[in-house]
Amino acid sequence: MADKKVSKKDIAKLLKEWSQQFAVLAPSKESGVAAFAEWDGKDTGFLDWYRNTVIPPKASFLPPMEEMFRFRKGKEGYNIEPPPNDENKRLIFGIRPCDARAMSILDMTFKQALEDPYYLSKRKNAVLVGLGCTNPYESCFCTSMGTGPTESADVDIMLIDIGDDFLIEEVTDKGKELIAKTKDLKEAAKDDGAKAEQAKKTAYDKVTRKLDTEGIKDKLLASFDDEEYWEKVAAKCISCGICTLLCPTCYCFDINDEMVKQEGTRFRSWDSCGFPNYTKMPMENPRQEKWRRVRQKVCHKYEFYPMTYDVIACTGCGRCIRLCPVNWDITQVIESVPDKTGAKK
Amino acid sequence: MEQKLRQEAKALLEQNKVDWIIGFEPGSLKFTATPLITRDKNDTERLIINPFMVNNLADFLTGIEGRVGIVAKGCDSRSIVSLIQDNKLIRENVVILAVPCPGLIDLAKIERLVGKDRDELDDITREGDKVVVTVDGKKKEFSTTQTLFDHCLACELPTPQEYDILLGEPRPPAPELEVSGQNIAELKETPPAERWEFWKNEFSRCIRCYACRNACPACFCQRCFVEETEPQWVMPVPRWQDNLIFQIVRNIHVAGRCTDCGECERVCPVNIPLRSLAREMYSIVDELFQFKSGMDKEALPLMAHYEQEEAEDLFR
């Protein structure tokens, strides 16, 4: 198979072409914060500033807020009007491998556990075009989490920076099909493959934060009741929702109705297990103390998710570390979990 | 100063004068300090003082039981005093370890000045009234006016007035109100319709993480109005109108308590200029009532008391 490549200065042309059949989403700061937004048809400035977005790409599939249905009180009860399925063909251009991995993890929840039509309708027609990292953050630890800065496993098409061009890796059938139909791509030169290998190695070496997750599921299980440990870990947490809402794998949502007179709307919106009123029952919140909520967050990602899906629900994107108001660092927490697995046996 | 702090903090725990020490230890990222909350005297060895200790530690006081020895910059001390004014904290239960603060370095400003992210910088040091940033091995000098947080430039109390142990030489206040209030002044000059559009845009990206509320020492309600369901004052969904109402009501609730510590804006992950609202409310409170929160622990809380002569007809 002859590899293709695209020149960096032709990215606008490429995105224009793809815009014919897709809603192209690309990194943008237009809203005031780095996020994936509908590409404006010209700007490729993100190629210079983009390391990763603050708002994870999950927002395009599980938006911060979405309408589930409208309802009207009639004579015979309620009439329910669901919105039409959002089956827009989205192309996420420039998704990072950590965030693409996170999409695969979200798929498990929304596809395997239960089919969620809101998520799946958006997801099924989406194409993920990955962009390999050249400048990971100091908070990134993807190489410890089953992915890496140029890993292509979770995207349809992967672009690797080889200087003036991106070398194109066609990963899935969906990706191959799109590349086959795309005009004006260049044939890769003989030494481009070697250049890409070198770029991958350089990027990999730049991810310096490491996390040893060996046996973490069992360690957490054995330390679940270690209140003293969890209280210590939770002490500086202020119970805001940054680390969870902006986590690319966190999917919890809240459901609320808004009703005026006889009509209303049911919304779902991002929720966080860090919030004191999360899972508030008719009685009370079973996780009133902060340490129980912090424990829930850590264990959900590193213990419960592996128990259900055999995968840790953390991809090392580092957002929770970068954005935390108190510098609560998940890698330090995971490394400090006491090993009580021997004692249990 | 650090050595003295460690000795004092250790002694407080050893002599059983406090149950907890709250201070800062080195953070896990470049140019960060992170809150250290401990009852272990050995941990006091890790206490530090540097220009990156950005958190307002008073925020932790309402969530902790027992006597606390707390490291306090001027702004933290004002929040502590404000909590005492509101009867949320008993003076005898805190030992204030006062740090005269030369102002904290705003990494977002540095990033804009040098065009690089914080983790791409080699070093940032404070040298007198200059801040020296080393990028790619080259040194660049900036003034404190360019590099300190806006709320630090507006600081009226770098050295705590209320304290038990003073670490280092007191620093006199030298507020640079014009620079620190520049964006607020510009906003106030824009026509209302335009300003409305501005805030609509800003609040459109709020994700309701409540970091602004949770980092705010003055936001001490055990149950916030946004979590009330009967009646439901505001929808808990991140719709811009609801986001705006949330923030406006929050600002009204902390009027007379807010000390302009700037935490609301610093912690916002989506860059909403929240200090513009907080500072404007601070100025309005000062103008209307000649009241500055957290300056005098004997002063009655502005919004939690009234005197007969100031009462409106409704109350007479």
Side-chain angles (χ1 to χ4, degrees):
Chain A
M1 184 186 73
D3 282 333
K4 302 261 175 63
K5 65 178 178 179
V6 58
S7 166
K8 282 182 183 172
K9 56 181 198 318
D10 288 337
I11 288 297
K13 216 161 79 182
L14 178 69
L15 294 184
K16 236 180 222 161
E17 186 181 338
W18 284 346
S19 297
Q20 309 279 317
Q21 36 166 334
F22 293 97
V24 171
L25 301 165
S28 163
K29 285 184 184 169
E30 196 51 42
S31 70
V33 66
F36 283 89
E38 190 124 357
W39 186 58
D40 67 357
K42 48 184 187 298
D43 182 27
T44 55
F46 63 87
L47 291 174
D48 298 323
W49 62 257
Y50 171 57
R51 297 173 77 195
N52 206 348
T53 54
V54 170
I55 309 290
K58 76 171 180 189
S60 301
F61 304 94
L62 178 69
M65 172 182 99
E66 74 184 313
E67 215 177 285
M68 300 179 83
F69 54 81
R70 291 180 184 201
F71 53 90
R72 198 177 327 113
K73 203 172 181 178
K75 281 187 191 126
E76 314 264 312
Y78 284 93
N79 299 315
I80 309 280
E81 293 166 36
N85 275 350
D86 179 358
E87 293 182 344
N88 270 336
K89 289 168 78 181
R90 293 170 169 78
L91 185 145
I92 311 282
F93 184 82
I95 192 169
R96 295 301 188 191
C98 52
D99 289 342
R101 175 101 192 105
M103 291 309 304
S104 300
I105 290 171
L106 282 182
D107 290 348
M108 296 171 188
T109 300
F110 288 122
K111 210 187 273 177
Q112 270 166 256
L114 197 79
E115 293 206 352
D116 182 291
Y118 302 96
Y119 174 89
L120 289 177
S121 64
K122 299 181 193 75
R123 179 76 170 103
K124 75 175 180 199
N125 289 327
V127 174
L128 303 182
V129 180
L131 191 55
C133 296
T134 54
N135 188 14
Y137 293 99
E138 65 165 329
S139 41
C140 294
F141 56 105
C142 55
T143 54
S144 301
M145 303 310 295
T147 178
T150 57
E151 177 59 53
S152 64
D154 302 284
V155 296
D156 296 300
I157 295 165
M158 188 70 195
L159 304 181
I160 303 292
D161 191 329
I162 51 166
D164 294 332
D165 306 297
F166 291 114
L167 187 68
I168 298 171
E169 291 179 7
E170 302 164 38
V171 186
T172 61
D173 290 344
K174 211 193 251 180
K176 285 185 183 115
E177 217 176 285
L178 178 59
I179 292 300
K181 281 193 293 189
T182 305
K183 288 174 257 165
D184 292 334
L185 294 172
K186 298 192 286 186
E187 297 290 323
K190 247 189 200 159
D191 60 341
D192 284 344
K195 276 192 207 163
E197 285 314 306
Q198 185 54 47
K200 287 180 187 182
K201 198 191 167 303
T202 308
Y204 189 94
D205 291 344
K206 280 187 182 173
V207 181
T208 50
R209 185 176 291 262
K210 302 288 174 199
L211 178 62
D212 181 6
T213 59
E214 182 73 33
I216 189 63
K217 186 176 76 178
D218 298 325
K219 271 199 236 172
L220 284 169
L221 183 66
S223 297
F224 193 75
D225 293 321
D226 190 343
E227 192 174 326
E228 200 185 322
Y229 168 72
W230 289 110
E231 274 196 343
K232 203 168 176 176
V233 161
K236 66 183 174 185
C237 170
I238 59 167
S239 297
C240 78
I242 292 180
C243 60
T244 42
L245 301 185
L246 296 177
C247 170
T249 71
C250 270
Y251 54 80
C252 283
F253 54 81
D254 188 17
I255 293 179
N256 283 281
D257 286 353
E258 186 180 54
M259 197 165 170
V260 181
K261 291 183 182 159
Q262 304 295 305
E263 289 181 15
T265 306
R266 177 161 294 183
F267 294 102
R268 77 169 173 187
S269 54
W270 289 353
D271 200 357
S272 166
C273 59
F275 291 153
N277 66 333
Y278 175 87
T279 64
K280 188 161 181 181
M281 312 290 176
M283 257 294 284
E284 266 310 332
N285 186 348
R287 291 194 283 267
Q288 282 213 348
E289 300 99 328
K290 183 169 69 175
W291 65 268
R292 290 181 194 273
R293 301 194 298 272
V294 169
R295 180 182 67 180
Q296 167 63 23
K297 187 190 84 167
V298 175
C299 289
H300 192 182
K301 295 191 175 308
Y302 285 81
E303 181 189 343
F304 312 150
Y305 219 85
M307 280 161 83
T308 318
Y309 300 107
D310 206 23
V311 61
I312 293 175
C314 168
T315 67
C317 77
R319 282 186 182 85
C320 57
I321 306 174
R322 280 196 292 287
L323 300 168
C324 177
V326 299
N327 182 233
W328 188 93
D329 185 329
I330 184 85
T331 59
Q332 290 179 325
V333 173
I334 290 299
E335 263 162 15
S336 70
V337 177
D339 189 353
K340 295 180 170 178
T341 49
K344 281 252 164 163
K345 276 170 193 161
Chain B
M1 201 156 41
E2 260 172 13
Q3 273 316 317
K4 183 159 187 240
L5 166 63
R6 289 170 191 168
Q7 281 164 14
E8 297 281 2
K10 193 176 180 188
L12 286 172
L13 282 171
E14 272 174 348
Q15 294 159 15
N16 195 29
K17 285 185 179 157
V18 299
D19 304 300
W20 295 94
I21 286 291
I22 304 183
F24 290 96
E25 64 176 316
S28 73
L29 299 174
K30 278 183 180 175
F31 318 119
T32 57
T34 184
L36 171 66
I37 303 172
T38 187
R39 17 183 15 144
D40 181 350
K41 67 176 192 308
N42 297 318
D43 287 349
T44 55
E45 282 306 308
R46 303 207 302 271
L47 286 167
I48 52 156
I49 295 170
N50 71 26
F52 307 108
M53 41 190 235
V54 289
N55 306 80
N56 186 332
L57 296 180
D59 191 40
F60 294 105
L61 288 173
T62 41
I64 213 162
E65 275 174 38
R67 297 157 304 159
V68 180
I70 185 169
V71 174
K73 312 177 289 286
C75 49
D76 307 71
S77 83
R78 288 187 63 181
S79 296
I80 294 169
V81 169
S82 178
L83 289 170
I84 294 168
Q85 290 172 334
D86 264 316
N87 230 350
K88 298 300 291 182
L89 186 69
I90 298 168
R91 178 64 184 92
E92 289 67 40
N93 283 354
V94 280
V95 175
I96 302 173
L97 296 147
V99 178
C101 178
L104 304 169
I105 294 174
D106 184 347
L107 295 173
K109 282 189 183 176
I110 303 262
E111 287 176 335
R112 285 195 293 271
L113 283 167
V114 301
K116 284 203 182 265
D117 291 337
R118 54 199 71 182
D119 65 332
E120 298 174 292
L121 310 174
D122 302 331
D123 202 9
I124 303 173
T125 51
R126 174 80 185 260
E127 287 168 21
D129 59 356
K130 291 267 176 286
V131 170
V132 183
V133 183
T134 314
V135 200
D136 299 328
K138 286 192 203 88
K139 286 187 177 196
K140 290 183 181 180
E141 261 191 23
F142 300 102
S143 69
T144 47
T145 315
Q146 286 172 292
T147 48
L148 300 188
F149 280 102
D150 280 349
H151 61 263
C152 292
L153 295 174
C155 180
E156 294 164 72
L157 195 72
T159 309
Q161 201 165 276
E162 182 72 29
Y163 64 83
D164 299 285
I165 298 162
L166 179 65
L167 305 155
E169 287 299 304
R171 295 181 72 95
E176 296 182 53
L177 291 179
E178 207 168 307
V179 196
S180 69
Q182 202 182 325
N183 58 347
I184 303 170
E186 280 167 16
L187 258 176
K188 283 170 81 173
E189 274 169 30
T190 56
E194 210 174 295
R195 217 184 311 158
W196 181 247
E197 275 305 303
F198 172 81
W199 285 115
K200 179 182 165 180
N201 277 329
E202 295 299 310
F203 282 103
S204 293
R205 60 177 187 271
C206 169
I207 54 167
R208 294 287 271 276
C209 68
Y210 301 119
C212 51
R213 178 191 73 184
N214 293 15
C216 175
C219 257
F220 51 63
C221 286
Q222 289 196 338
R223 190 167 179 187
C224 177
F225 78 99
V226 292
E227 279 141 21
E228 297 279 352
T229 49
E230 290 180 33
Q232 189 161 49
W233 303 101
V234 57
M235 282 285 280
V237 299
R239 193 167 45 181
W240 75 266
Q241 296 93 330
D242 299 87
N243 302 340
L244 180 65
I245 295 280
F246 156 60
Q247 200 59 235
I248 288 173
V249 176
R250 199 185 81 78
N251 266 277
I252 293 169
H253 281 183
V254 298
R257 298 188 171 97
C258 169
T259 58
D260 187 23
C261 76
E263 275 291 85
C264 48
E265 178 164 323
R266 182 192 69 83
V267 300
C268 180
V270 296
N271 316 319
I272 303 175
L274 295 172
R275 180 185 173 256
S276 306
L277 296 173
R279 176 70 199 193
E280 184 60 11
M281 183 61 89
Y282 178 93
S283 306
I284 291 170
V285 166
D286 187 21
E287 198 182 301
L288 291 180
F289 305 103
Q290 294 77 54
F291 187 86
K292 284 182 170 144
S293 176
M295 288 303 213
D296 172 10
K297 70 171 190 289
E298 306 302 333
L300 289 165
L302 180 72
M303 290 298 167
H305 90 282
Y306 84 97
E307 283 155 26
Q308 225 175 358
E309 55 270 30
E310 66 166 298
E312 291 172 7
D313 289 345
L314 179 67
F315 294 106
R316 264 198 274 254

